[in-house]
Amino acid sequence: MVFSSRLMALIIATCIAIVTISFLSIFEGISNLALLVTAMVSFSSAYLLIYILLDFLIFREINKVYNLLNKLRKKDINLSDDTKPNVLNPFKHINEEITYYVSLKQREIDELKKLEAFRKEFIADVSHELKTPIFAAQGFLHTLLDGAIKDKNVRTRFLRKAAKSLDGLDILVQDLLTLSHIETGEIKMHFDTFDMIPLVEEVFDQFEEKADKKQIKLRFDKRRTKPVLVYADPKRIMQVMNNLISNALKYGGENNEVIIGFEVDKKQVSVSVIDFGEGIPPDDLKRIFERFYRVDKSRSRERGGTGLGLAIVKHILEGHNTKVSVTSAIGKGSTFSFRLPRVRLERLDEEVQSKEEHVTH
């Protein structure tokens, strides 16, 4: 039941008038006219006094608070929208609103603190990752400037090492830019229908030499005679496969194999990258997609890489409205998998035919 200051003043004034004439009626000799006048005077004076007291000193101030809450709610749609001013106990409702709003802002403050901690950690990680190749190249070049440049063998070896460090620095900067552009939406996904088989074969060709050095065989889970058609951004999916296969080669162990598997259902294609290496500890599984997170920092740096590959994979697949998942067992290997929308061969033929007809016309 909703009460206004006017209604509450009316109820209280009526009660006062009834109590007053009831008390006066006890005494003898008081006429009905006197009781009626007394009731009217007591009712009107009580009504005016109570109405002014409630409206000007209480309800008007309460309404100001409600107006403020309404303005805050317009800026924050998460606030409840069932506020009813002038309820029976407006102070209780205001307290609930303010408590809710304070708790909401406290959660925002906690989130901002987490983001601040993440920012500091990110800056520290970036500084460390940049420092390593810069100091290495700096050391080689200063050694050459200090006189080693006169020795041809030393000069060539040190220049190659400095170039390798600078190449690593360039890859790191490019990965940072890619990750930043994806997060800010500057890189748009260009979706198209394509076959995953030749795309993966092209990635295999890129890593053939590296795989041969470690005696790792790159293969599909089974021979496929039909294309595996998906609808995605081929350039970005190739980047995903590059990063996942590169990781599999780094941590897969020598004399082993890396297997690419496809599970095709009616609507989706599940892509898996399987290695049989050292595996990932359970405590690290939740964090491996964070920027610069490394399971074994010292060994990871020896193997190369920027520590951003899996973070890029995560963001690219999120741009495809899908997620990358991982299962791993220590000493047995890891499996990274993700899903993409499937395209039927019949539909592709219809699209090609439609394009040809459009060109003909």
Side-chain angles (χ1 to χ4, degrees):
M1 183 177 181
V2 178
F3 284 85
S4 66
S5 56
R6 191 167 297 174
L7 179 60
M8 292 183 70
L10 181 64
I11 293 171
I12 297 172
T14 302
C15 292
I16 291 174
I18 292 172
V19 170
T20 303
I21 60 175
S22 297
F23 177 75
L24 290 177
S25 63
I26 297 174
F27 301 97
E28 296 181 359
I30 299 178
S31 64
N32 291 334
L33 181 60
L35 290 175
L36 180 61
V37 172
T38 302
M40 292 178 64
V41 171
S42 61
F43 173 81
S44 57
S45 58
Y47 176 81
L48 288 173
L49 182 63
I50 294 169
Y51 173 72
I52 292 171
L53 179 67
L54 290 176
D55 192 62
F56 286 91
L57 298 183
I58 298 177
F59 277 87
R60 186 163 293 185
E61 297 304 318
I62 289 173
N63 286 332
K64 289 180 181 179
V65 176
Y66 273 116
N67 289 333
L68 177 60
L69 289 173
N70 285 330
K71 290 178 181 178
L72 292 173
R73 189 182 299 108
K74 289 177 182 177
K75 295 180 180 179
D76 197 335
I77 60 174
N78 289 324
L79 279 175
S80 59
D81 201 25
D82 57 354
T83 303
K84 294 179 180 179
N86 304 329
V87 294
L88 182 61
N89 189 351
F91 293 106
K92 181 179 178 181
H93 195 76
I94 286 177
N95 182 58
E96 291 173 353
E97 283 281 340
I98 293 175
T99 301
Y100 179 81
Y101 189 76
V102 168
S103 64
L104 185 68
K105 292 305 172 186
Q106 185 59 49
R107 288 198 297 270
E108 291 181 0
I109 291 170
D110 293 339
E111 186 66 25
L112 288 172
K113 287 181 178 178
K114 289 181 182 178
L115 291 174
E116 177 65 14
F118 173 78
R119 184 187 66 82
K120 290 180 180 178
E121 183 180 352
F122 177 71
I123 290 174
D125 287 337
V126 170
S127 301
H128 184 78
E129 295 295 334
L130 290 173
K131 180 179 67 176
T132 302
I134 289 174
F135 279 9
Q138 209 173 26
F140 293 132
L141 293 175
H142 279 296
T143 302
L144 292 173
L145 291 173
D146 288 340
I149 195 170
K150 295 177 182 179
D151 189 324
K152 185 178 179 180
N153 292 330
V154 173
R155 180 177 66 221
T156 303
R157 189 170 72 252
F158 276 29
L159 285 174
R160 283 176 179 170
K161 288 182 177 181
K164 185 178 179 181
S165 297
L166 294 174
D167 288 341
L169 180 61
D170 179 62
I171 293 171
L172 174 60
V173 172
Q174 292 301 323
D175 282 351
L176 282 170
L177 287 173
T178 300
L179 195 57
S180 175
H181 289 161
I182 292 173
E183 288 181 336
T184 56
E186 292 182 35
I187 292 181
K188 303 294 182 183
M189 301 297 168
H190 301 285
F191 291 85
D192 198 1
T193 299
F194 64 94
D195 185 1
M196 284 292 297
I197 301 296
L199 183 143
V200 174
E201 287 176 342
E202 187 176 341
V203 178
F204 281 173
D205 291 340
Q206 293 177 18
F207 288 103
E208 184 178 4
E209 184 179 350
K210 187 175 181 180
D212 289 342
K213 286 182 180 179
K214 297 189 70 175
Q215 295 182 341
I216 295 177
K217 184 179 180 182
L218 300 172
R219 69 176 181 87
F220 292 102
D221 58 339
K222 59 184 177 182
R223 190 168 177 235
R224 296 182 180 274
T225 56
K226 294 182 179 180
V228 179
L229 299 175
V230 297
Y231 185 68
D233 184 331
K235 181 179 178 182
R236 297 303 162 193
I237 295 302
M238 175 169 278
Q239 194 172 4
V240 167
M241 297 305 298
N242 258 299
N243 289 343
L244 292 179
I245 292 174
S246 176
N247 267 14
L249 289 173
K250 285 177 192 173
Y251 306 106
E254 295 185 359
N255 301 310
N256 227 318
E257 60 183 3
V258 173
I259 301 174
I260 308 300
F262 300 105
E263 290 184 16
V264 182
D265 58 30
K266 291 182 179 180
K267 294 184 178 180
Q268 291 184 315
V269 174
S270 179
V271 185
S272 300
V273 179
I274 307 165
D275 70 67
F276 300 91
E278 56 202 55
I280 303 169
D283 293 340
D284 295 307
L285 280 175
K286 295 180 180 179
R287 300 195 61 190
I288 58 174
F289 296 102
E290 296 177 10
R291 303 173 184 86
F292 300 116
Y293 186 80
R294 302 173 191 265
V295 176
D296 187 337
K297 290 182 169 53
S298 58
R299 294 183 66 188
S300 295
R301 288 198 176 90
E302 289 173 4
R303 291 167 175 167
T306 62
L308 294 171
L310 290 180
I312 292 173
V313 166
K314 174 189 172 185
H315 283 81
I316 289 176
L317 292 177
E318 285 178 351
H320 285 75
N321 295 319
T322 187
K323 293 182 179 180
V324 58
S325 60
V326 56
T327 58
S328 186
I330 299 298
K332 294 184 178 180
S334 306
T335 300
F336 289 82
S337 58
F338 59 92
R339 291 178 175 271
L340 293 173
R342 180 194 174 193
V343 177
R344 293 179 178 273
L345 188 59
E346 302 82 33
R347 180 181 163 189
L348 180 62
D349 292 337
E350 291 175 359
E351 291 178 356
V352 171
Q353 186 177 356
S354 176
K355 289 179 180 178
E356 289 176 351
E357 291 176 355
H358 180 72
V359 170
T360 303
H361 291 298

